[in-house]
Amino acid sequence: MDAFATALATILSLWLVLNALLKLSKKHTGSNSVELKYGFILIVRRKSALSTSRVFKRLSYVFTALFAISLGLFLYFSVNTVVSRMIRDAPGAVLLIPGINIKGLDVLYFVIAVSIAAITHEYFHAKTAVSNDVGVKSFGFMLAFILPLAFVEVSEGRFNPSPLRVKVGILAAGVAANLIIGLFFLAIIPLLSTPALYVLGVEQGGLAESLGISSGDVLLTVNGTRLTSFESLRSILSSSDEGLLVLEVLKPDGEVVAKHFYKNNTPVKLGVNLTETRVPAEGLAKTLGYALSTGLLKMFSWIYLVNFNLALINAAPIFITDGGRIVYEVLGDKIGLLINSMCTVILVLMIAPIPF
C-alpha cells in the first residue's frame, strides 16, 4: 500500500471512530455544541466563548486601516500580475491545492495554517461584533474531511441599522487578523533561520555526485564558513588556497553529513545546480535538531503564506469576500456591483490559463 492509500485509510478510520464516539456522547449528554453532518463534516459551536471587549471596540479603526492596506496590496499584486502576463508572458497566480501542488508533510502544515487563519478570521469578526453591541447567533469551526473551516453568523437585524464605521470595522476585523498573523510570522522567520544553498540537480560524473550529494540536499558550510549565497561558495572554490575542504550537507531527513575533498591551487567545479534557501538557525537546530526545526520553520512559512494571502483575497472587492461586502456598504448597490464585477474579472485574469 502506497503512502497516499495509507494516509487515506488512516483518515477514514479516524472519521469512523469519531462518528462512533460522538453518537455515544450525544446519547448520554444530549449536547448540540458538537455535531457531525453526513459523517465527515464536524461542526463545533462555541458561542459561549464570546464576550464584549473594550479593546476590540477601540481597535475597529485599526482594523479598517489594516483592511485598507490589504486592499492596496491586493490591487498592486493583481494589476502587476495581469500586466506581466500580458506584456512579458509571465505565469499567472497559482492556486494552492493539497495533493496537486502541496504534497507530503506540507499538506499537514497547510491544514494547520488554514485552521489558524480561518478560526482567527471568524473569531475577530465575532468578537468585534459583540463588542459593538451587534449580536452573534452562532460561532464555531468545521472540519470537512481534512479541510478546516470556521463560521460566524451575525444578527442582521442588529447589524444593518448600525453606524457605517461599526459595520466596516466588523467586516474588516477578519482581514486585519490574517494580515497581523501573516506579518508577524514573516518577521520571525528570518530570526529563526539562516541562508543556505539548496541543491536542485547534480551533474553526472561531477565532483558532487562522487561525494554523494543529490537533489534535495542543502549545502551548509565549508570548513565552518556559512554558505549564505552563491558568491560565498564561488569564492571558496575559485580561490588559490590549497588543502582539505570539509563540506557540511543537510540531508532531507535532517541528518548533517560531512563531505571531504582535496582542493589544489586551481578553481574547483562542484557540479551542482543551486538555489538560495533558508534553513534553521544554528541555535534552533542545536536545540531541536535539524529535522524538527526544519518542520517548525516550514509550518511557520505556511502560516505566513496562508494568512497573508487570505488577507489580500478577503480584502478584494469580490462578491463573496469581506471586501466585496464593504464596497456595497460604503458605495451602495450599483457602484458596489460594478466594482465587484471588475475585480472578479481581474482575479480570473490572474488565475485562469488564458493566452494573451
Side-chain angles (χ1 to χ4, degrees):
M1 184 180 291
D2 60 20
F4 176 78
T6 302
L8 183 62
T10 302
I11 293 170
L12 290 175
S13 299
L14 290 174
W15 273 110
L16 289 173
V17 172
L18 184 61
N19 272 272
L21 290 175
L22 285 179
K23 284 185 178 179
L24 183 64
S25 173
K26 194 169 183 179
K27 182 178 179 181
H28 287 85
T29 64
S31 173
N32 291 319
S33 61
V34 180
E35 64 176 305
L36 270 170
K37 286 193 174 182
Y38 315 113
F40 64 91
I41 300 179
L42 175 68
I43 303 174
V44 180
R45 292 183 172 84
R46 298 291 297 171
K47 183 180 177 181
S48 60
L50 295 175
S51 59
T52 59
S53 168
R54 291 183 179 180
V55 173
F56 272 79
K57 186 173 184 177
R58 292 171 181 172
L59 283 176
S60 295
Y61 293 106
V62 177
F63 295 157
T64 302
L66 291 174
F67 164 81
I69 293 172
S70 301
L71 175 58
L73 289 172
F74 168 79
L75 294 174
Y76 169 77
F77 287 123
S78 59
V79 171
N80 185 63
T81 300
V82 173
V83 172
S84 297
R85 293 192 69 187
M86 296 177 67
I87 297 177
R88 297 191 295 270
D89 196 28
V94 178
L95 291 175
L96 300 175
I97 305 172
I100 304 298
N101 49 20
I102 306 177
K103 299 179 180 179
L105 277 176
D106 281 341
V107 174
L108 173 62
Y109 302 141
F110 177 77
V111 170
I112 292 173
V114 172
S115 301
I116 292 171
I119 293 173
T120 307
H121 181 100
E122 298 300 339
Y123 178 78
F124 267 58
H125 278 315
K127 193 74 171 179
T128 306
V130 298
S131 298
N132 284 278
D133 300 320
V134 176
V136 172
K137 295 180 180 178
S138 62
F139 164 73
F141 66 90
M142 298 187 296
L143 183 65
F145 197 54
I146 65 169
L147 183 64
L149 302 167
F151 63 90
V152 60
E153 186 182 4
V154 176
S155 173
E156 293 295 331
R158 300 283 294 276
F159 178 85
N160 290 331
S162 297
L164 181 61
R165 61 172 181 80
V166 171
K167 292 192 284 188
V168 172
I170 293 171
L171 293 169
V175 174
N178 294 134
L179 184 64
I180 292 169
I181 294 173
L183 294 179
F184 172 77
F185 279 93
L186 177 63
I188 67 171
I189 287 172
L191 302 178
L192 300 175
S193 63
T194 185
L197 298 176
Y198 182 85
V199 179
L200 295 171
V202 178
E203 294 179 9
Q204 289 187 348
L207 175 59
E209 185 180 52
S210 68
L211 293 173
I213 296 172
S214 56
S215 300
D217 291 349
V218 177
L219 309 185
L220 297 176
T221 67
V222 175
N223 286 359
T225 300
R226 277 280 176 183
L227 300 175
T228 58
S229 64
F230 300 120
E231 187 56 39
S232 61
L233 177 62
R234 188 180 299 113
S235 64
I236 294 173
L237 297 180
S238 63
S239 71
S240 58
D241 295 338
E242 187 175 353
L244 182 68
L245 297 182
V246 181
L247 173 63
E248 281 193 332
V249 180
L250 173 63
K251 291 293 185 177
D253 63 359
E255 181 185 6
V256 178
V257 296
K259 305 292 183 180
H260 301 78
F261 63 98
Y262 185 83
K263 177 188 174 302
N264 55 29
N265 56 7
T266 59
V268 173
K269 183 180 179 183
L270 195 56
V272 287
N273 182 18
L274 301 170
T275 187
E276 294 183 3
T277 187
R278 300 193 72 88
V279 295
E282 189 173 353
L284 182 64
K286 286 182 177 179
T287 303
L288 301 179
Y290 268 106
L292 184 58
S293 55
T294 298
L296 184 67
L297 200 60
K298 280 189 175 181
M299 185 175 69
F300 285 178
S301 297
W302 275 111
I303 294 173
Y304 148 68
L305 185 66
V306 168
N307 277 273
F308 185 76
N309 282 280
L310 185 61
L312 269 57
I313 292 297
N314 259 300
I318 301 170
F319 295 102
I320 60 173
T321 65
D322 296 323
R325 180 74 181 272
I326 288 175
V327 167
Y328 276 113
E329 295 291 345
V330 174
L331 300 177
D333 292 345
K334 291 183 179 180
I335 299 179
L337 176 62
L338 176 62
I339 293 177
N340 275 273
S341 300
M342 291 173 60
C343 284
T344 301
V345 171
I346 291 175
L347 186 63
V348 170
L349 293 176
M350 287 173 60
I351 299 173
I354 302 172
F356 291 102

